[in-house]
Amino acid sequence: MDIQKELNKENNHQFNTLLSSYFTKMKGERKSEPSVQIKENLISATGGLIAMLVISVMAVTIGFPMVLGPMGASCLLVFAAHAGPFSQPRHILGGHFISTIVALSIWDIFGRTHLKIEITLAVVLFLMVVSKMLHPPAAASAIVAINTEAGWGFLLTILISAIILIAISVAYNNLFKNR
């Protein structure tokens, strides 16, 4: 009986250690957060403001305001993480195009069901990786296209929005020496 109690204690201790280690890893490796660059953040926020102002006027005028969610996420990458691979023009335009056209095609052929939404996301992820045009906010374009049953006009709005975003970000980010 004592042996069994000792084994249970040891197993509980190992489990607690494993659980503690698991949650500690979720905190990340950094011991301290990097310092906040107020000027850089204001530059990024202003770029996002300008881009979203132009995109929102266009999207609402055309009748597809649901484009603002995916484009807002794209703005975050393009202005706050401007040097990252997902923020490059090819990824923005290609990612949104692939995601939206796949979603609208699947929705057109099979209709909207929960299973089709998950399949769409898997296909979009696969195609963006294979084409090397990975842009995470573009996956939201696919989900929005299906969930809102937006129709094919949504594709044009996404493409115009992506082109506007790219044009503004290239012009704006290149105004600054470190961008």
Side-chain angles (χ1 to χ4, degrees), residues 7-117:
L7 285 174
N8 284 342
K9 262 188 190 178
E10 182 63 29
N11 286 340
N12 283 341
H13 177 70
Q14 287 176 344
F15 177 75
N16 289 338
T17 302
L18 181 66
L19 194 61
S20 173
S21 172
Y22 177 77
F23 286 115
T24 301
K25 284 172 57 178
M26 287 183 161
K27 290 181 186 177
E29 295 297 317
R30 264 199 187 133
K31 299 297 181 215
S32 65
E33 291 296 315
S35 64
V36 175
Q37 304 280 332
I38 297 295
K39 182 181 175 185
E40 186 65 26
N41 287 343
L42 287 173
I43 290 169
S44 295
T46 303
L49 173 72
I50 294 166
M52 282 306 289
L53 179 64
V54 174
I55 291 169
S56 65
V57 167
M58 180 276 306
V60 170
T61 301
I62 292 176
F64 291 95
M66 66 284 280
V67 80
L68 299 178
M71 284 300 136
S74 290
C75 280
L76 185 131
L77 283 177
V78 168
F79 293 106
H82 50 82
F86 301 151
S87 301
Q88 303 312 306
R90 177 177 183 271
H91 293 266
I92 298 163
L93 188 60
H96 281 292
F97 176 74
I98 289 169
S99 294
T100 306
I101 201 159
V102 166
L104 291 170
S105 297
I106 289 174
W107 176 67
D108 233 12
I109 295 167
F110 302 107
R112 188 186 113 196
T113 66
H114 286 291
L115 183 58
K116 302 307 181 293
I117 293 170

Side-chain angles (χ1 to χ4, degrees), residues 95-159:
H96 281 292
F97 176 74
I98 289 169
S99 294
T100 306
I101 201 159
V102 166
L104 291 170
S105 297
I106 289 174
W107 176 67
D108 233 12
I109 295 167
F110 302 107
R112 188 186 113 196
T113 66
H114 286 291
L115 183 58
K116 302 307 181 293
I117 293 170
E118 287 81 18
I119 289 170
T120 299
L121 187 59
V123 171
V124 161
L125 181 110
F126 177 79
L127 291 175
M128 281 198 293
V129 170
V130 166
S131 66
K132 295 182 177 143
M133 289 190 270
L134 195 59
H135 184 65
S141 294
I143 302 305
V144 168
I146 289 179
N147 273 344
T148 62
E149 299 178 4
W152 287 95
F154 186 73
L155 177 62
L156 180 62
T157 309
I158 280 286
L159 293 177

